[in-house]
Amino acid sequence: MDGTSLAGRIAVVTGGAGGIGGAICADLASLGARVVVADLDPDAAQRTAERLGGGAGAIAERVDLGDPGDIDRFASAVGPVDILVHNAGVSIVEPFVESDPAHWDLMWRINLRAPMQLTRALLPGMTERGWGRLVFISSDGARAGAGGEGAYAATKAGLFGLAKTLAREAAHGGVTSNVVCPGPTDTAMVRTVSDQHPGLLDKLAKQIPLRRIGRPDDIAGLVAFLCTDRAEYITGQTLSVSGGITMN
C-alpha cells in the first residue's frame, strides 16, 4: 500500500517496553521507522529494542517522566524526532473520595504534564522540517468514566484538549495530532487489577460487542496508521479501540 512507509523517520514511543508500547514500537519499526524505545526500565527497553533489531532499527533510552529535568535531558539526547507517541501512563484504582492526593500528583505528572513538556521540546523541530506526527494514548475511561479511576480519567482527559489545540497550532508545519483511546486491553496494568478482582476480565468481555478484551496489537495498528502519510488528513481526532463498548 502506497503511503505507509516510515523509512527515514525517527519515532519516540514513551512506555515503549510495556505491552501496548512494545506493540506500537514493533509496528512502527515494521514500517521502516527507527524507533526510540523510551521507558523508565532500561533493561526492559533494551530487550524491546533488541527484538526490533537494535542498531539502526531501534535504540533504548531511559527516561523518568516524573522528573522534569530528566525529560529535558532525554529530549536533548534523542535529537530530531518525526513521530512522538505518548503511550506511558500510570493508573491507581481507588474510589475518588478515598483517593490520596499524592496519587493525583503522580498521575498528573506522568499522564499529562510529561506529554506537555516533551511535546513542547520536540514539536518545534517537526514544524521546522514540515512533517510530524503526535499520537496521545488516552483511555476510554477518560471518555466515558470508570469506577475507581477519577484522577486517572481526569489526567487522561486532559490529553484531549492538548491534542486538539496542537492539531490547530501545528497544522501549518505539516504536523498532525490525534488521540487513541484503548478500551479494556490485556496488559500488565489490567492484569494487576484483575488479579485483585477475580472474574473481572470475563465480565468485561461479555459487555463488549466483539466479545473479547483488546490486545496490544489492536491499538498498535491504528497508531501506526496515524503516523503514515495515508493519514495526513486526519488530525484533531479522538478514536476509540474498544471492540464497540464505546461508540460515538
Side-chain angles (χ1 to χ4, degrees), residues 147-188:
E149 293 188 337
Y152 173 76
T155 57
K156 284 293 191 176
L159 296 175
F160 302 157
L162 175 62
K164 290 179 180 180
T165 297
L166 294 174
R168 295 183 184 278
E169 293 184 351
H172 70 281
V175 177
T176 65
S177 175
N178 293 288
V179 181
V180 172
C181 292
T185 305
D186 192 358
T187 63

Side-chain angles (χ1 to χ4, degrees), residues 81-176:
V81 169
D82 304 298
I83 296 166
L84 178 55
V85 181
H86 294 288
N87 168 73
V90 59
S91 174
I92 300 172
V93 179
E94 52 194 354
F96 183 72
V97 296
E98 300 172 13
S99 61
D100 185 343
H103 294 165
W104 305 353
D105 292 341
L106 173 63
M107 287 183 274
W108 144 249
R109 291 198 311 273
I110 303 298
N111 298 346
L112 184 54
R113 190 193 190 284
M116 293 171 68
Q117 182 181 348
L118 190 54
T119 300
R120 187 173 183 270
L122 298 179
L123 178 58
M126 295 181 187
T127 56
E128 288 171 9
R129 293 186 296 277
W131 195 97
R133 297 289 184 266
L134 302 172
V135 181
F136 300 85
I137 306 301
S138 181
S139 167
D140 259 9
R143 302 190 78 172
E149 293 188 337
Y152 173 76
T155 57
K156 284 293 191 176
L159 296 175
F160 302 157
L162 175 62
K164 290 179 180 180
T165 297
L166 294 174
R168 295 183 184 278
E169 293 184 351
H172 70 281
V175 177
T176 65

Side-chain angles (χ1 to χ4, degrees), residues 44-99:
Q46 185 61 40
R47 289 193 296 271
T48 300
E50 289 173 355
R51 285 198 299 271
L52 301 180
I59 61 172
E61 285 283 349
R62 182 188 184 278
V63 61
D64 182 353
L65 295 175
D67 180 350
D70 200 48
I71 293 174
D72 286 340
R73 176 206 59 78
F74 171 80
S76 296
V78 297
V81 169
D82 304 298
I83 296 166
L84 178 55
V85 181
H86 294 288
N87 168 73
V90 59
S91 174
I92 300 172
V93 179
E94 52 194 354
F96 183 72
V97 296
E98 300 172 13
S99 61

